[in-house]
Amino acid sequence: MVIRRLTVATALAALTALAAPAHAATETPPPGRITVDVVGVNGSGCPQGTATVAAASDNTSFTVTYSDYLAQTGAGSGGTDFRKNCQLALRIHVPHGFTYAIARADYRGFAHLQRGAYGQERANYYFQGMAQTARTLHQFHGPYSDNWQATDQTDYADLVWAPCGEERNLNVNSELRVYPGTSNPQSLSFMSMDSTDGSVSTVYHFAWKTCPGS
């Protein structure tokens, strides 16, 4: 399997966080070199070679861009086209003495939903060997023909942190579904999370803190 490595430059931006005595929160992302390795791609929404990952230059986030992620129902659709999903396994290497969590995720795409039809975006993420986070659901109702955006925000007290001193995959799961509802079953409704020009991306925002003893 080919592993793609992406680097993050020295931190420049600040991320505000609350302090805790055992694990001191840091107001800024760690300095130095961070890498994100894509070690696994699976799902009907991200065929091989159609999902790319890019890290922000200020260590505050990383983005996932899809080029073939579209769920549809109605005219010309196959029996399984109403549901598409993608799971990415990411290995994020951080400087010694720091750990991270996913504080917010912004999902974007385009939807064309006939009157009576509706679409859903679902997502969760978790560290290898740890319990999955709750799967969030955002629903959009037709008539609708426009860009869409959904945001999942986690309170600081509820953040799930990568174990200090260990490297575990971060599993990022997403799913799109489109249902005809009461719309004309011969009319086409669809919902996408893709971008042919790279302008539409899913953004995962980091929270950072120092590990005990650092």
Side-chain angles (χ1 to χ4, degrees):
M1 178 181 293
V2 177
I3 294 179
R4 292 165 287 172
R5 173 155 288 186
L6 302 139
T7 61
V8 183
T10 302
L12 299 174
L15 180 71
T16 302
L18 301 175
H23 299 264
T26 177
E27 292 185 353
T28 58
R33 183 183 177 88
I34 294 172
T35 62
V36 180
D37 294 338
V38 182
V39 298
V41 181
N42 185 46
S44 57
C46 52
Q48 195 68 36
T50 65
T52 60
V53 180
S57 60
D58 57 7
N59 286 8
T60 59
S61 64
F62 68 90
T63 63
V64 181
T65 303
Y66 304 96
S67 61
D68 191 18
Y69 200 156
L70 181 143
Q72 64 180 33
T73 188
S77 302
T80 60
D81 288 345
F82 80 98
R83 176 187 178 272
K84 295 295 177 71
N85 74 297
C86 182
Q87 176 170 309
L88 300 177
L90 307 176
R91 183 65 61 90
I92 301 175
H93 306 274
V94 303
H96 178 73
F98 290 89
T99 186
Y100 71 92
I102 302 300
R104 191 176 89 236
D106 299 320
Y107 303 91
R108 298 180 179 90
F110 184 85
H112 177 75
L113 303 171
Q114 302 290 344
R115 183 178 301 275
Y118 61 99
Q120 296 177 341
E121 180 272 330
R122 310 177 184 209
N124 74 332
Y125 31 86
Y126 62 96
F127 292 105
Q128 180 182 15
M130 301 174 67
Q132 295 192 24
T133 58
R135 184 175 291 269
T136 59
L137 185 151
H138 301 274
Q139 190 154 291
F140 302 84
H141 295 271
Y144 188 99
S145 188
D146 203 348
N147 295 322
W148 63 267
Q149 178 171 335
T151 295
D152 296 337
Q153 179 86 38
T154 304
D155 292 337
Y156 187 83
D158 297 325
L159 292 175
V160 179
W161 300 91
C164 285
E166 299 182 25
E167 287 194 344
R168 297 194 187 187
N169 291 346
L170 173 65
N171 296 303
V172 174
N173 300 321
S174 61
E175 181 181 72
L176 293 179
R177 296 190 182 200
V178 179
Y179 296 97
T182 60
S183 67
N184 183 340
Q186 298 305 312
S187 62
L188 179 66
S189 292
F190 66 86
M191 188 170 180
S192 73
M193 193 153 47
D194 61 15
S195 173
T196 56
D197 61 4
S199 62
V200 178
S201 299
T202 297
V203 184
Y204 296 89
H205 302 266
F206 291 122
W208 294 100
K209 69 178 179 180
T210 55
C211 292
S214 299

